[in-house]
Amino acid sequence: MRKWLGLALTIIVLDHLTKFWISSTLDYQEAVPVLPFFSLVLVYNTGAAFSFLADAGGWQRWFFITVGVIATVIIVRLLKRHAHEPRLAFALALVLGGALGNVIDRVVLGHVVDFLYFHYHDLAWPAFNVADSAITVGAVLLVWDSLHGKPAAQRS
């Protein structure tokens, strides 16, 4: 269990180090092209994924903090139960670290710092961060594990 919590903590630290670096390097909405399809840009997201509910008037901050705290409790319980299943525990630790990284932003700043921006001509993916990446990879691994892991009857 300790190693999975350590992985989640590593994600949180990496997330916040990169957010601190980008926040101290760029001005708000400043973009720095890195590759023809990738830029670093400092933006703030008061909503959820793809800025969902970003303009909802402020209540969404506390809603997403509450959802993050509830998710944390559930994930820690799942980690406790499945710590001996490396693929599942790894995925849960990634989601946990990412979720807490963004919850910390919401509590301290009132928004999430995003800065990784992929684009091609008029097509663009909304900016995201290390925490979002960890959540996404963890979620994909959870789906993978549910499809290719042990049958449910064999799980304890």
Side-chain angles (χ1 to χ4, degrees):
M1 174 78 171
R2 223 178 289 171
K3 105 172 136 177
W4 305 121
L5 294 178
L7 174 59
L9 180 61
T10 300
I11 296 296
I12 295 167
V13 169
L14 181 60
D15 179 56
H16 282 274
L17 285 174
T18 56
K19 288 173 179 175
F20 175 78
W21 172 73
I22 207 73
S23 295
S24 62
T25 304
L26 299 180
D27 292 325
Y28 179 68
Q29 293 187 334
E30 179 183 357
V32 176
V34 177
L35 297 168
F37 58 88
F38 172 69
S39 299
L40 295 174
V41 61
L42 176 60
V43 293
Y44 305 139
N45 183 358
T46 57
F50 309 111
S51 296
F52 175 67
L53 294 177
D55 297 325
W59 63 266
Q60 73 276 22
R61 174 185 182 191
W62 302 108
F63 174 75
F64 292 128
I65 289 170
T66 302
V67 169
V69 169
I70 291 169
T72 297
V73 170
I74 292 168
I75 293 169
V76 168
R77 286 183 178 176
L78 287 169
L79 266 175
K80 223 181 226 187
R81 187 179 310 149
H82 299 284
H84 62 282
E85 298 176 52
R87 186 170 48 199
L88 178 57
F90 180 76
L92 289 168
L94 290 178
V95 173
L96 177 63
L100 284 175
N102 283 340
V103 164
I104 291 167
D105 272 11
R106 290 183 197 288
V107 169
V108 174
L109 304 172
H111 58 261
V112 173
V113 174
D114 288 330
F115 60 92
L116 302 169
Y117 181 59
F118 287 88
H119 50 84
Y120 181 75
H121 296 292
D122 292 338
L123 303 173
W125 191 260
F128 58 98
N129 58 43
V130 172
D132 298 332
S133 301
I135 292 168
T136 301
V137 171
V140 168
L141 290 174
L142 286 172
V143 170
W144 177 267
D145 188 67
S146 71
L147 296 173
H148 301 285
K150 291 189 272 182
Q154 291 181 359
R155 290 187 184 209
S156 52

